[in-house]
Amino acid sequence: MPVVKAAIVVLDCAEPEKLAEFYKELLEGERTYASANLVEVKGADGLRLAVRRDANATPPSWPRPENSLQAHLDFLVEDLDEAERRIVGLGGRPLETKDPAGPYEERGYADPAGHSFTLRLVPPLAPKLG
């Protein structure tokens, strides 16, 4: 029997309620736990993410070296443009929207508190032949 039952990515920010709402909507999930200083969200696919209050939190400055990348999330999507519209509509902002060449297209964004994350295009699965 495993000792660790689950893993939760926790992001620090000044206003966890607002940031948790951003991720709840982005992940089309639900709020599963809330206290004065922590809000947990479970995405539709089972991803668990928590947001913890830190009044002194400063947003990561990625890709600049000062206060560099503290955490990073990758979200797999089928349509980068549709996902970008949703993110911007929820209060996120693009960091890098140039699509690199190749099958693993991706774009960088920041959530409303400044944490960076990446959207990666899910490569289409070719149908099996024969």
Side-chain angles (χ1 to χ4, degrees):
M1 180 173 261
V3 174
V4 176
K5 304 294 183 192
I8 301 173
V9 174
V10 181
L11 299 175
D12 290 346
C13 70
E15 299 179 275
E17 300 83 6
K18 289 182 180 180
L19 192 56
E21 185 64 21
F22 171 85
Y23 282 108
K24 180 179 81 76
E25 293 298 322
L26 179 62
L27 301 172
E28 297 180 23
E30 63 182 323
R31 186 183 282 206
T32 58
Y33 175 81
S35 70
N37 293 312
L38 183 78
V39 180
E40 185 179 314
V41 171
K42 183 177 179 183
D45 70 345
L47 170 74
R48 294 173 67 183
L49 179 71
V51 185
R52 183 179 68 98
R53 184 179 318 280
D54 179 351
N56 298 316
T58 57
S61 60
W62 183 87
R64 297 181 318 270
E66 65 278 359
N67 194 28
S68 66
L69 188 64
Q70 299 167 2
H72 184 82
L73 304 170
D74 281 359
F75 296 108
L76 304 178
V77 300
E78 293 180 345
D79 185 326
L80 288 168
D81 294 330
E82 178 183 353
E84 179 172 310
R85 286 189 295 274
R86 182 165 177 80
I87 288 164
V88 171
L90 292 169
R93 62 184 168 81
L95 295 176
E96 299 174 330
T97 56
K98 293 182 186 174
D99 294 332
Y104 302 106
E105 297 178 53
E106 60 183 44
R107 296 179 187 171
Y109 297 88
D111 66 27
H115 301 100
S116 63
F117 62 93
T118 300
L119 294 182
R120 285 192 306 155
L121 189 63
V122 177
L125 299 174
K128 292 184 179 180
L129 300 174

Coordinates of all heavy atoms in Angstrom, one line a residue, residues 7-91:
A7 N -1.0 13.7 -4.7 CA -0.1 14.9 -4.8 C -0.9 16.1 -5.2 O -1.8 16.0 -6.1 CB 1.0 14.7 -5.8
I8 N -0.6 17.2 -4.6 CA -1.3 18.5 -4.9 C -0.3 19.5 -5.2 O 0.6 19.8 -4.4 CB -2.3 18.9 -3.8 CG1 -3.3 17.8 -3.5 CG2 -2.9 20.2 -4.1 CD1 -4.2 18.1 -2.3
V9 N -0.4 20.2 -6.3 CA 0.5 21.3 -6.6 C -0.1 22.5 -5.9 O -1.3 22.8 -6.0 CB 0.5 21.6 -8.1 CG1 1.3 22.9 -8.4 CG2 1.1 20.4 -8.9
V10 N 0.7 23.3 -5.1 CA 0.2 24.4 -4.3 C 1.0 25.7 -4.8 O 2.2 25.7 -4.9 CB 0.5 24.2 -2.8 CG1 0.0 25.4 -2.0 CG2 -0.1 22.9 -2.3
L11 N 0.2 26.7 -5.2 CA 0.7 28.0 -5.6 C 0.5 29.0 -4.5 O -0.6 29.0 -3.9 CB 0.0 28.4 -6.9 CG 0.2 27.5 -8.1 CD1 -0.7 28.1 -9.2 CD2 1.6 27.4 -8.5
D12 N 1.4 29.8 -4.2 CA 1.3 30.9 -3.2 C 0.8 32.2 -3.9 O 1.3 32.5 -5.0 CB 2.6 31.2 -2.5 CG 3.0 30.1 -1.6 OD1 2.2 29.2 -1.3 OD2 4.2 30.1 -1.1
C13 N 0.0 32.9 -3.3 CA -0.4 34.2 -3.8 C -1.1 35.0 -2.7 O -1.4 34.5 -1.6 CB -1.4 34.1 -5.0 SG -3.0 33.4 -4.5
A14 N -1.4 36.3 -3.0 CA -2.0 37.2 -1.9 C -3.5 36.9 -1.8 O -4.0 37.1 -0.7 CB -1.7 38.6 -2.3
E15 N -4.2 36.5 -2.9 CA -5.6 36.4 -2.9 C -6.0 35.0 -3.4 O -6.4 34.8 -4.5 CB -6.3 37.4 -3.7 CG -6.0 38.9 -3.2 CD -6.6 39.9 -4.1 OE1 -6.0 40.3 -5.1 OE2 -7.8 40.3 -3.7
P16 N -5.9 34.0 -2.5 CA -6.2 32.6 -3.0 C -7.6 32.4 -3.5 O -7.8 31.6 -4.4 CB -5.9 31.7 -1.8 CG -6.0 32.6 -0.6 CD -5.6 34.0 -1.1
E17 N -8.6 33.0 -3.0 CA -10.0 32.8 -3.5 C -10.1 33.2 -4.9 O -10.7 32.5 -5.7 CB -11.0 33.6 -2.6 CG -11.0 33.3 -1.2 CD -9.9 34.0 -0.4 OE1 -9.2 34.9 -0.9 OE2 -9.8 33.7 0.8
K18 N -9.5 34.3 -5.3 CA -9.6 34.8 -6.7 C -8.8 33.9 -7.7 O -9.3 33.5 -8.7 CB -9.1 36.2 -6.9 CG -10.0 37.2 -6.3 CD -9.5 38.6 -6.5 CE -10.4 39.7 -5.9 NZ -10.0 41.0 -6.1
L19 N -7.6 33.5 -7.2 CA -6.8 32.6 -8.1 C -7.4 31.2 -8.2 O -7.4 30.6 -9.3 CB -5.4 32.6 -7.6 CG -4.4 31.9 -8.5 CD1 -4.3 32.7 -9.9 CD2 -3.0 31.9 -7.9
A20 N -8.0 30.7 -7.1 CA -8.6 29.4 -7.2 C -9.8 29.5 -8.2 O -10.1 28.5 -8.9 CB -9.1 29.0 -5.8
E21 N -10.5 30.6 -8.2 CA -11.6 30.7 -9.1 C -11.1 30.7 -10.6 O -11.8 30.0 -11.4 CB -12.4 32.0 -8.9 CG -13.7 32.2 -9.7 CD -14.7 31.1 -9.4 OE1 -14.8 30.5 -8.4 OE2 -15.6 30.9 -10.3
F22 N -10.0 31.3 -10.9 CA -9.4 31.3 -12.2 C -9.2 29.8 -12.6 O -9.6 29.4 -13.7 CB -8.1 32.1 -12.2 CG -7.3 31.9 -13.5 CD1 -7.6 32.7 -14.6 CD2 -6.3 31.0 -13.5 CE1 -6.8 32.6 -15.8 CE2 -5.5 30.9 -14.7 CZ -5.8 31.6 -15.8
Y23 N -8.5 29.0 -11.7 CA -8.2 27.7 -12.1 C -9.4 26.8 -12.1 O -9.5 25.8 -12.9 CB -7.1 27.1 -11.2 CG -5.7 27.6 -11.6 CD1 -5.0 28.6 -10.8 CD2 -5.1 27.2 -12.8 CE1 -3.8 29.1 -11.2 CE2 -3.9 27.7 -13.2 CZ -3.2 28.6 -12.4 OH -2.0 29.1 -12.8
K24 N -10.3 27.0 -11.2 CA -11.6 26.2 -11.2 C -12.3 26.4 -12.6 O -12.7 25.4 -13.2 CB -12.5 26.7 -10.1 CG -13.8 25.9 -10.1 CD -14.7 26.3 -8.9 CE -15.5 27.6 -9.2 NZ -16.6 27.4 -10.1
E25 N -12.4 27.6 -13.1 CA -13.0 27.8 -14.4 C -12.2 27.3 -15.5 O -12.7 26.7 -16.5 CB -13.3 29.3 -14.6 CG -14.3 29.9 -13.6 CD -15.7 29.2 -13.8 OE1 -16.1 29.0 -14.9 OE2 -16.3 29.0 -12.8
L26 N -10.9 27.5 -15.5 CA -10.0 27.0 -16.6 C -10.0 25.5 -16.7 O -10.1 24.9 -17.8 CB -8.5 27.5 -16.3 CG -7.5 27.0 -17.4 CD1 -7.9 27.6 -18.7 CD2 -6.1 27.4 -16.9
L27 N -10.0 24.8 -15.5 CA -10.0 23.3 -15.5 C -11.4 22.7 -15.5 O -11.6 21.5 -15.5 CB -9.3 22.8 -14.3 CG -7.8 23.3 -14.2 CD1 -7.2 22.9 -12.8 CD2 -7.0 22.7 -15.3
E28 N -12.4 23.6 -15.6 CA -13.8 23.2 -15.5 C -14.1 22.2 -14.4 O -14.6 21.1 -14.6 CB -14.2 22.6 -16.9 CG -14.2 23.6 -18.0 CD -14.5 23.1 -19.4 OE1 -15.3 22.1 -19.4 OE2 -14.1 23.7 -20.4
G29 N -13.6 22.6 -13.2 CA -13.6 21.7 -12.1 C -14.5 22.2 -11.0 O -15.5 23.0 -11.2
E30 N -14.1 21.9 -9.8 CA -14.9 22.3 -8.6 C -14.0 22.6 -7.4 O -12.8 22.1 -7.4 CB -15.9 21.1 -8.2 CG -15.1 19.9 -7.8 CD -16.1 18.7 -7.4 OE1 -17.1 19.0 -6.8 OE2 -15.7 17.6 -7.7
R31 N -14.4 23.4 -6.5 CA -13.7 23.7 -5.3 C -14.0 22.6 -4.4 O -15.1 22.2 -4.1 CB -14.2 25.0 -4.7 CG -13.5 25.5 -3.5 CD -14.1 26.8 -3.0 NE -13.7 27.9 -3.8 CZ -13.6 29.1 -3.4 NH1 -14.0 29.4 -2.1 NH2 -13.2 30.1 -4.2
T32 N -12.9 21.9 -3.9 CA -13.1 20.8 -3.0 C -12.8 21.1 -1.5 O -13.2 20.3 -0.7 CB -12.3 19.6 -3.5 OG1 -10.9 20.0 -3.5 CG2 -12.7 19.1 -4.8
Y33 N -12.1 22.1 -1.3 CA -11.7 22.5 0.1 C -11.4 24.0 0.2 O -10.8 24.5 -0.8 CB -10.5 21.7 0.5 CG -10.0 22.1 1.9 CD1 -10.6 21.6 3.1 CD2 -8.9 23.0 2.1 CE1 -10.1 21.9 4.3 CE2 -8.5 23.4 3.3 CZ -9.1 22.8 4.4 OH -8.7 23.2 5.7
A34 N -11.8 24.6 1.2 CA -11.5 26.0 1.4 C -11.4 26.3 2.9 O -12.2 25.8 3.7 CB -12.6 26.9 0.8
S35 N -10.3 27.0 3.3 CA -10.1 27.5 4.6 C -9.8 29.0 4.5 O -9.8 29.5 3.4 CB -9.0 26.8 5.4 OG -7.8 27.1 4.8
A36 N -9.4 29.6 5.6 CA -9.0 31.1 5.5 C -7.8 31.3 4.7 O -7.6 32.4 4.1 CB -8.8 31.6 6.9
N37 N -6.9 30.3 4.6 CA -5.6 30.5 3.9 C -5.4 29.5 2.7 O -4.3 29.6 2.1 CB -4.5 30.4 4.9 CG -4.5 31.6 5.8 OD1 -4.7 32.7 5.4 ND2 -4.4 31.3 7.1
L38 N -6.3 28.6 2.4 CA -6.0 27.6 1.4 C -7.3 27.3 0.7 O -8.3 27.1 1.3 CB -5.4 26.4 2.0 CG -5.0 25.3 1.1 CD1 -3.7 25.6 0.4 CD2 -4.9 23.9 1.8
V39 N -7.3 27.2 -0.6 CA -8.4 26.8 -1.4 C -7.9 25.7 -2.3 O -6.9 25.8 -3.0 CB -9.0 27.9 -2.2 CG1 -10.2 27.4 -3.0 CG2 -9.4 29.1 -1.3
E40 N -8.6 24.5 -2.4 CA -8.2 23.4 -3.3 C -9.3 23.3 -4.4 O -10.5 23.4 -4.1 CB -8.1 22.1 -2.5 CG -7.6 21.0 -3.3 CD -7.5 19.7 -2.5 OE1 -6.9 19.7 -1.4 OE2 -7.9 18.7 -3.0
V41 N -8.8 23.0 -5.6 CA -9.6 22.8 -6.7 C -9.3 21.5 -7.3 O -8.1 21.1 -7.4 CB -9.3 23.9 -7.8 CG1 -10.0 23.6 -9.1 CG2 -9.7 25.3 -7.2
K42 N -10.3 20.8 -7.8 CA -10.1 19.5 -8.5 C -10.7 19.7 -9.9 O -11.9 20.0 -10.1 CB -10.9 18.4 -7.8 CG -10.7 17.0 -8.4 CD -11.4 15.9 -7.7 CE -11.2 14.6 -8.4 NZ -11.9 13.5 -7.6
G43 N -9.8 19.5 -10.9 CA -10.2 19.7 -12.3 C -11.1 18.5 -12.8 O -11.1 17.5 -12.1
A44 N -11.7 18.7 -13.9 CA -12.6 17.7 -14.5 C -11.9 16.4 -14.7 O -12.5 15.3 -14.6 CB -13.3 18.2 -15.7
D45 N -10.6 16.5 -15.0 CA -9.8 15.3 -15.3 C -9.1 14.7 -14.0 O -8.4 13.7 -14.1 CB -8.7 15.5 -16.3 CG -7.6 16.4 -15.8 OD1 -7.8 17.0 -14.7 OD2 -6.5 16.5 -16.5
G46 N -9.4 15.3 -12.9 CA -8.9 14.8 -11.6 C -7.7 15.5 -11.1 O -7.2 15.2 -10.0
L47 N -7.1 16.4 -11.9 CA -6.0 17.2 -11.4 C -6.3 18.0 -10.1 O -7.4 18.6 -10.1 CB -5.5 18.2 -12.5 CG -4.5 19.3 -12.0 CD1 -3.1 18.6 -11.9 CD2 -4.5 20.4 -13.0
R48 N -5.5 17.9 -9.1 CA -5.7 18.6 -7.9 C -4.7 19.8 -7.8 O -3.5 19.6 -7.9 CB -5.6 17.7 -6.7 CG -6.7 16.7 -6.7 CD -6.6 15.6 -5.7 NE -6.7 16.2 -4.4 CZ -6.5 15.5 -3.3 NH1 -6.2 14.2 -3.3 NH2 -6.7 16.1 -2.1
L49 N -5.2 21.0 -7.5 CA -4.4 22.2 -7.4 C -4.9 22.9 -6.2 O -6.1 23.1 -6.0 CB -4.6 23.0 -8.7 CG -3.8 24.3 -8.8 CD1 -2.3 24.0 -9.0 CD2 -4.3 25.0 -10.0
A50 N -3.9 23.5 -5.4 CA -4.3 24.3 -4.3 C -3.7 25.7 -4.4 O -2.6 25.8 -5.0 CB -3.9 23.6 -3.0
V51 N -4.3 26.7 -3.8 CA -3.8 28.0 -3.8 C -3.7 28.4 -2.3 O -4.7 28.4 -1.6 CB -4.7 29.0 -4.6 CG1 -4.0 30.3 -4.7 CG2 -4.9 28.4 -6.0
R52 N -2.5 28.9 -1.9 CA -2.3 29.2 -0.4 C -2.0 30.7 -0.3 O -1.3 31.3 -1.1 CB -1.1 28.4 0.1 CG -0.8 28.6 1.6 CD 0.3 27.7 2.0 NE 1.6 28.2 1.4 CZ 2.5 29.0 2.0 NH1 2.2 29.4 3.3 NH2 3.6 29.3 1.4
R53 N -2.6 31.3 0.7 CA -2.4 32.7 1.0 C -1.0 32.9 1.5 O -0.5 32.3 2.5 CB -3.4 33.2 2.0 CG -3.3 34.7 2.3 CD -4.3 35.2 3.3 NE -5.6 34.6 3.2 CZ -6.6 35.0 2.3 NH1 -6.3 36.0 1.4 NH2 -7.7 34.5 2.2
D54 N -0.3 33.9 0.9 CA 1.0 34.4 1.3 C 0.9 35.9 1.0 O 1.1 36.3 -0.1 CB 2.1 33.7 0.6 CG 3.5 34.3 1.0 OD1 3.6 35.3 1.7 OD2 4.5 33.7 0.6
A55 N 0.7 36.7 2.1 CA 0.6 38.2 1.9 C 1.8 38.8 1.3 O 1.7 39.8 0.7 CB 0.2 38.8 3.2
N56 N 3.0 38.1 1.4 CA 4.2 38.7 0.9 C 4.6 38.0 -0.4 O 5.7 38.2 -0.9 CB 5.3 38.5 1.9 CG 5.0 39.3 3.2 OD1 4.6 40.4 3.1 ND2 5.3 38.7 4.3
A57 N 3.7 37.2 -1.1 CA 4.1 36.5 -2.3 C 4.4 37.5 -3.4 O 3.7 38.6 -3.5 CB 2.9 35.7 -2.7
T58 N 5.4 37.2 -4.1 CA 5.8 38.0 -5.3 C 5.7 37.1 -6.5 O 6.2 35.9 -6.5 CB 7.2 38.6 -5.2 OG1 8.1 37.6 -5.0 CG2 7.3 39.6 -4.1
P59 N 5.1 37.6 -7.6 CA 5.0 36.7 -8.8 C 6.4 36.3 -9.3 O 7.3 37.1 -9.3 CB 4.3 37.6 -9.8 CG 3.7 38.7 -9.0 CD 4.5 38.9 -7.8
P60 N 6.5 35.1 -9.9 CA 7.7 34.7 -10.5 C 8.0 35.6 -11.7 O 7.1 36.2 -12.3 CB 7.4 33.3 -11.0 CG 6.3 32.8 -10.2 CD 5.5 34.1 -9.9
S61 N 9.3 35.8 -12.0 CA 9.7 36.7 -13.1 C 10.1 36.0 -14.3 O 10.7 36.6 -15.2 CB 10.8 37.6 -12.6 OG 11.9 36.8 -12.2
W62 N 9.8 34.7 -14.4 CA 10.2 33.9 -15.6 C 9.9 34.6 -16.9 O 8.8 35.2 -17.0 CB 9.6 32.6 -15.5 CG 10.0 31.6 -16.6 CD1 11.1 30.8 -16.6 CD2 9.4 31.5 -17.9 NE1 11.1 30.2 -17.8 CE2 10.1 30.5 -18.6 CE3 8.3 32.0 -18.5 CZ2 9.8 30.2 -19.9 CZ3 7.9 31.6 -19.8 CH2 8.7 30.7 -20.5
P63 N 10.7 34.7 -17.8 CA 12.0 34.0 -17.9 C 13.2 34.8 -17.4 O 14.3 34.4 -17.6 CB 12.2 33.8 -19.4 CG 11.5 35.0 -20.0 CD 10.3 35.3 -19.1
R64 N 13.0 36.0 -16.8 CA 14.1 36.8 -16.2 C 14.7 36.0 -15.0 O 13.9 35.4 -14.3 CB 13.6 38.2 -15.9 CG 13.1 39.0 -17.1 CD 12.6 40.3 -16.7 NE 11.8 40.5 -15.5 CZ 10.5 40.4 -15.5 NH1 9.8 40.1 -16.6 NH2 9.9 40.5 -14.4
P65 N 16.0 36.2 -14.7 CA 16.6 35.4 -13.6 C 16.2 35.9 -12.2 O 16.2 35.1 -11.3 CB 18.1 35.6 -13.9 CG 18.2 36.9 -14.7 CD 16.9 37.0 -15.5
E66 N 15.9 37.2 -12.0 CA 15.5 37.6 -10.7 C 14.2 37.0 -10.3 O 13.2 36.9 -11.1 CB 15.5 39.1 -10.6 CG 14.4 39.8 -11.4 CD 14.7 40.0 -12.9 OE1 15.8 39.7 -13.3 OE2 13.9 40.6 -13.6
N67 N 14.1 36.5 -9.1 CA 12.9 35.8 -8.6 C 12.4 34.8 -9.6 O 11.2 34.8 -9.9 CB 11.8 36.9 -8.3 CG 10.7 36.3 -7.4 OD1 10.9 35.4 -6.7 ND2 9.5 36.9 -7.5
S68 N 13.3 33.9 -10.0 CA 13.0 33.1 -11.2 C 11.8 32.1 -11.0 O 11.2 32.1 -9.9 CB 14.2 32.3 -11.6 OG 14.6 31.5 -10.5
L69 N 11.7 31.3 -11.9 CA 10.6 30.3 -11.9 C 10.5 29.5 -10.6 O 11.4 28.9 -10.2 CB 10.8 29.3 -13.1 CG 9.8 28.3 -13.4 CD1 8.5 29.1 -13.9 CD2 10.2 27.4 -14.5
Q70 N 9.3 29.6 -10.0 CA 9.1 29.0 -8.7 C 8.3 27.7 -8.8 O 8.4 26.8 -8.1 CB 8.4 29.9 -7.7 CG 9.2 31.2 -7.5 CD 8.4 32.3 -6.8 OE1 7.3 32.1 -6.5 NE2 9.0 33.4 -6.6
A71 N 7.4 27.7 -9.8 CA 6.6 26.6 -10.1 C 6.1 26.7 -11.5 O 6.1 27.8 -12.1 CB 5.3 26.5 -9.2
H72 N 5.8 25.6 -12.2 CA 5.4 25.7 -13.6 C 4.4 24.6 -13.8 O 4.6 23.5 -13.4 CB 6.6 25.5 -14.5 CG 6.2 25.7 -15.9 ND1 6.1 26.9 -16.5 CD2 5.9 24.8 -16.9 CE1 5.8 26.8 -17.8 NE2 5.7 25.5 -18.0
L73 N 3.3 24.9 -14.5 CA 2.3 24.0 -14.9 C 2.2 23.9 -16.4 O 2.3 24.9 -17.1 CB 0.9 24.5 -14.3 CG 0.8 24.7 -12.8 CD1 -0.5 25.4 -12.5 CD2 0.9 23.4 -12.1
D74 N 2.0 22.7 -16.9 CA 1.7 22.5 -18.3 C 0.3 21.9 -18.4 O -0.1 21.0 -17.7 CB 2.6 21.4 -18.9 CG 4.0 22.0 -19.2 OD1 4.2 23.2 -19.0 OD2 4.8 21.2 -19.7
F75 N -0.5 22.5 -19.3 CA -1.9 22.0 -19.6 C -1.9 21.6 -21.0 O -1.5 22.3 -21.9 CB -2.9 23.1 -19.3 CG -3.0 23.6 -17.9 CD1 -2.5 24.8 -17.5 CD2 -3.5 22.8 -16.9 CE1 -2.6 25.2 -16.2 CE2 -3.6 23.2 -15.6 CZ -3.1 24.4 -15.3
L76 N -2.4 20.4 -21.2 CA -2.5 19.8 -22.6 C -3.9 20.2 -23.2 O -4.9 20.0 -22.5 CB -2.4 18.3 -22.6 CG -1.1 17.8 -21.9 CD1 -1.1 16.3 -21.9 CD2 0.2 18.3 -22.6
V77 N -3.9 20.8 -24.4 CA -5.1 21.2 -25.0 C -5.1 20.7 -26.5 O -4.1 20.4 -27.1 CB -5.3 22.7 -25.0 CG1 -5.3 23.2 -23.5 CG2 -4.2 23.4 -25.7
E78 N -6.3 20.7 -27.0 CA -6.5 20.3 -28.4 C -6.5 21.5 -29.3 O -6.3 21.4 -30.5 CB -7.8 19.5 -28.6 CG -7.6 18.1 -27.9 CD -8.9 17.3 -28.0 OE1 -10.0 17.8 -28.4 OE2 -8.8 16.1 -27.8
D79 N -6.9 22.7 -28.8 CA -7.0 23.9 -29.6 C -6.3 25.1 -28.8 O -6.9 25.6 -27.9 CB -8.5 24.2 -29.9 CG -8.7 25.4 -30.9 OD1 -7.9 26.3 -30.8 OD2 -9.6 25.3 -31.6
L80 N -5.2 25.5 -29.3 CA -4.4 26.6 -28.6 C -5.2 27.9 -28.6 O -5.2 28.6 -27.6 CB -3.0 26.8 -29.2 CG -2.0 25.7 -28.9 CD1 -0.8 25.8 -29.8 CD2 -1.6 25.7 -27.4
D81 N -5.8 28.2 -29.7 CA -6.5 29.5 -29.8 C -7.7 29.6 -28.9 O -7.9 30.6 -28.3 CB -6.9 29.8 -31.3 CG -5.7 30.0 -32.2 OD1 -4.7 30.5 -31.7 OD2 -5.8 29.6 -33.4
E82 N -8.5 28.5 -28.9 CA -9.6 28.4 -28.0 C -9.2 28.5 -26.5 O -9.8 29.3 -25.8 CB -10.4 27.1 -28.2 CG -11.6 27.0 -27.3 CD -12.3 25.6 -27.6 OE1 -12.0 24.9 -28.5 OE2 -13.3 25.4 -26.8
A83 N -8.2 27.8 -26.2 CA -7.7 27.8 -24.8 C -7.2 29.2 -24.4 O -7.4 29.7 -23.3 CB -6.6 26.8 -24.6
E84 N -6.5 29.9 -25.4 CA -6.0 31.2 -25.1 C -7.2 32.2 -24.9 O -7.1 33.0 -24.0 CB -5.2 31.7 -26.3 CG -4.6 33.2 -26.0 CD -3.6 33.6 -27.1 OE1 -2.7 32.9 -27.3 OE2 -3.8 34.7 -27.6
R85 N -8.2 32.1 -25.7 CA -9.4 33.0 -25.5 C -10.0 32.8 -24.1 O -10.3 33.7 -23.4 CB -10.4 32.8 -26.6 CG -10.0 33.4 -27.9 CD -11.2 33.3 -28.9 NE -11.6 31.9 -29.3 CZ -11.0 31.2 -30.2 NH1 -10.0 31.7 -30.9 NH2 -11.5 30.0 -30.5
R86 N -10.0 31.6 -23.7 CA -10.6 31.2 -22.3 C -9.7 31.8 -21.2 O -10.2 32.4 -20.3 CB -10.7 29.7 -22.2 CG -11.4 29.3 -20.9 CD -11.8 27.9 -20.9 NE -12.3 27.4 -19.7 CZ -13.6 27.7 -19.3 NH1 -14.4 28.4 -20.0 NH2 -14.0 27.2 -18.1
I87 N -8.4 31.6 -21.4 CA -7.5 32.1 -20.3 C -7.5 33.7 -20.2 O -7.6 34.2 -19.1 CB -6.0 31.7 -20.7 CG1 -5.9 30.2 -20.4 CG2 -5.0 32.5 -19.9 CD1 -4.7 29.6 -21.1
V88 N -7.5 34.3 -21.3 CA -7.6 35.8 -21.3 C -8.9 36.3 -20.8 O -9.0 37.2 -20.0 CB -7.3 36.4 -22.7 CG1 -7.6 37.9 -22.8 CG2 -5.8 36.1 -23.1
G89 N -10.0 35.6 -21.1 CA -11.3 35.9 -20.6 C -11.4 35.7 -19.1 O -12.2 36.4 -18.5
L90 N -10.6 34.8 -18.6 CA -10.6 34.6 -17.1 C -9.7 35.5 -16.4 O -9.6 35.4 -15.1 CB -10.3 33.1 -16.8 CG -11.3 32.1 -17.3 CD1 -10.8 30.7 -17.2 CD2 -12.6 32.2 -16.4
G91 N -8.9 36.3 -17.1 CA -8.0 37.2 -16.4 C -6.5 36.9 -16.5 O -5.6 37.6 -16.0

